[in-house]
Amino acid sequence: AQSVTQLDSQVPVFEEAPVELRCNYSSSVSVYLFWYVQYPNQGLQLLLKYLSGSTLVKGINGFEAEFNKSQTSFHLRKPSVHISDTAEYFCAVKEGQAGTALIFGKGTTLSVSS
Amino acid sequence: NAGVMQNPRHLVRRRGQEARLRCSPMKGHSHVYWYRQLPEEGLKFMVYLQKENIIDESGMPKERFSAEFPKEGPSILRIQQVVRGDSAAYFCASSPPGTGMNTEAFFGQGTRLTVV
């Protein structure tokens, strides 16, 4: 069965600092990987996704993530964060076949302060 | 192309009442997913539906909860005899048919259910 582990529940950083939000998954088959962002009282917005091809994926708002199959990881990174990046970030996995749903991690709260 | 539409955005019910949450998927999307988000927790998968079929309901509580996605009209998540523990944000997502590049799910704004 699939599962997603987000290793840090909260990540506080200062503005303009780099940040990495960690995500590991478990699955016995090929997977698709996603990062979503949720601002307070809002729905989820897709940041980026890995389906196939290059393991380094670039998304919106300057975020990127790298798929590492051997380590079953999909960590999210941004070289310089802004106050406006303060939000909840969710990693999700979907098995690469029809008839399966997205499975989410518990989320990481990124708090950016000045 | 409108996004995934959920209504109502906020719903207050007294204990014992019924709650009906609606989700209209994006145009062309035939797959609908319901998730529940409890305070301080991530999104928990509830049910995955295609038109007129429940594909996976492994995340649905065994009692009081049901979901449907009729041939015409929105998907409905129904909670009977609500209890305080049902208070949560309920999110709907939709995706187009098929696999491969078309596996992205788009989320609605959610319905925040409060049971008093």
Side-chain angles (χ1 to χ4, degrees):
Chain A
Q2 304 169 74
S3 67
V4 178
T5 302
Q6 291 185 242
L7 296 160
D8 307 296
S9 59
Q10 301 203 15
V11 174
V13 293
F14 288 108
E15 196 173 19
E16 298 182 10
V19 70
E20 179 179 81
L21 307 184
R22 296 181 292 170
C23 173
N24 287 85
Y25 68 93
S26 66
S27 176
S28 58
V29 298
S30 63
V31 295
Y32 302 127
L33 296 155
F34 305 81
W35 275 98
Y36 285 84
V37 60
Q38 184 182 33
Y39 299 102
N41 296 316
Q42 296 292 315
L44 278 77
Q45 180 182 4
L46 182 69
L47 271 179
L48 48 79
K49 60 185 177 184
Y50 171 78
L51 302 180
S52 65
S54 172
T55 57
L56 182 63
V57 180
K58 294 190 182 298
I60 62 171
N61 300 342
F63 284 93
E64 65 180 31
E66 186 155 19
F67 170 55
N68 188 320
K69 188 175 182 179
S70 62
Q71 296 187 4
T72 60
S73 68
F74 191 54
H75 301 332
L76 180 70
R77 294 191 288 261
K78 186 169 182 177
S80 175
V81 294
H82 303 291
I83 299 283
S84 59
D85 292 323
T86 295
E88 188 88 12
Y89 292 80
F90 292 97
C91 181
V93 62
K94 177 175 165 55
E95 289 186 342
Q97 62 191 46
T100 61
L102 274 173
I103 302 300
F104 284 84
K106 290 193 173 184
T108 297
T109 301
L110 176 63
S111 300
V112 182
S113 56
S114 56
Chain B
N1 188 5
V4 178
M5 303 300 293
Q6 289 189 250
N7 67 82
R9 290 290 307 276
H10 300 274
L11 182 62
V12 179
R13 283 287 177 267
R14 296 185 184 280
R15 282 179 295 169
Q17 291 184 319
E18 178 180 284
R20 279 182 179 246
L21 289 63
R22 295 176 190 77
C23 170
S24 296
M26 289 182 68
K27 186 176 181 180
H29 287 194
S30 57
H31 298 198
V32 166
Y33 314 83
W34 285 94
Y35 292 83
R36 176 166 62 176
Q37 185 178 36
L38 293 165
E40 308 301 322
E41 293 190 19
L43 282 82
K44 297 291 188 186
F45 167 73
M46 298 182 74
V47 63
Y48 164 32
L49 309 105
Q50 295 179 18
K51 284 284 188 183
E52 299 183 280
N53 286 306
I54 296 174
I55 306 302
D56 181 355
E57 56 181 346
S58 58
M60 286 279 270
K62 293 288 185 272
E63 297 176 348
R64 301 188 298 108
F65 285 72
S66 62
E68 63 177 9
F69 188 18
K71 187 177 181 180
E72 301 290 338
S75 175
I76 305 288
L77 179 67
R78 183 181 177 206
I79 312 173
Q80 295 178 290
Q81 298 173 327
V82 296
V83 300
R84 287 220 171 101
D86 296 331
S87 296
Y90 292 83
F91 289 95
C92 169
S94 73
S95 66
T99 60
M101 297 299 290
N102 291 326
T103 55
E104 179 179 340
F106 294 82
F107 280 79
Q109 295 285 313
T111 293
R112 282 156 181 82
L113 172 66
T114 303
V115 180
V116 297

